[in-house]
Amino acid sequence: LDIIWKTNMGEKGRLQTSPLQRMAPGYGDIRLTVEQIPDGVPMEKPFNFKCRVTNCCERTMDLLLLLQNNGTSGLYWCGVSGKQLGKLGPNTNMELNLTLLASVPGLQSISGLRLTDTYLKRTYEHDDIAQIFVYSDQEPS
């Protein structure tokens, strides 16, 4: 950036800055992206969604999937928590098919997915993965 001006008295002024470098977004070691999810789901019926786990680091990871249900949320994980996903090489990905059950109507946020690298004993927490609209399919009486 180069700014040049003249004052009321006719003196020149100048301001120069060094070039700014744009930083690429850092994803950390693991990136979780939602690949497929329904727009809305009926209350008290299980639904599936698909996400992709990408290893963004230079080493192989051995991943363990943990699903944590939060008592205050209107969504509950269905399936096995503590499931061994296996080895994920550098810059590779795998798809996960997961199931949830909605118990509260309205806009709900999907949270509570944990991936643990058993090699380093490091846990990656994924909260607010996506939002989904839950509706009641019961007829009003």
Side-chain angles (χ1 to χ4, degrees), residues 9-26:
M9 304 296 285
E11 298 170 340
K12 288 185 178 183
R14 184 173 187 168
L15 176 67
Q16 283 184 315
T17 62
S18 52
L20 301 174
Q21 298 294 323
R22 182 177 177 270
M23 296 292 291

Side-chain angles (χ1 to χ4, degrees), residues 78-95:
C78 301
V80 178
S81 182
K83 179 180 176 183
Q84 189 72 37
L85 297 178
K87 293 177 177 44
L88 186 61
N91 301 311
T92 59
N93 60 61
M94 71 172 58
E95 287 189 349

Side-chain angles (χ1 to χ4, degrees), residues 34 36-38 47-51 77 96-98 100 110:
V34 175
Q36 186 178 13
I37 191 167
F47 67 93
N48 298 318
F49 78 100
K50 187 187 299 186
C51 57
W77 293 103
L96 296 177
N97 292 306
L98 301 168
L100 286 159
I110 299 174

Side-chain angles (χ1 to χ4, degrees), residues 36-137:
Q36 186 178 13
I37 191 167
D39 294 329
V41 295
M43 194 168 68
E44 297 178 354
K45 292 191 179 155
F47 67 93
N48 298 318
F49 78 100
K50 187 187 299 186
C51 57
R52 180 174 304 214
V53 177
T54 304
N55 181 353
C56 297
C57 67
E58 300 295 323
R59 60 183 173 73
T60 298
M61 295 182 165
D62 191 21
L63 296 177
L64 181 74
L65 174 67
L66 298 169
L67 304 171
Q68 294 183 337
N69 286 320
N70 182 352
T72 60
S73 170
L75 295 174
Y76 295 94
W77 293 103
C78 301
V80 178
S81 182
K83 179 180 176 183
Q84 189 72 37
L85 297 178
K87 293 177 177 44
L88 186 61
N91 301 311
T92 59
N93 60 61
M94 71 172 58
E95 287 189 349
L96 296 177
N97 292 306
L98 301 168
T99 304
L100 286 159
L101 177 78
S103 65
V104 177
L107 192 61
Q108 302 294 332
S109 182
I110 299 174
S111 294
L113 192 144
R114 308 288 183 257
L115 293 167
T116 300
D117 180 7
T118 58
Y119 288 146
L120 294 182
K121 306 285 190 263
R122 182 180 295 166
T123 300
Y124 302 91
E125 299 181 359
H126 297 281
D127 292 316
D128 298 320
I129 299 165
Q131 292 184 327
I132 191 160
F133 181 71
V134 179
Y135 57 89
S136 175
D137 63 349

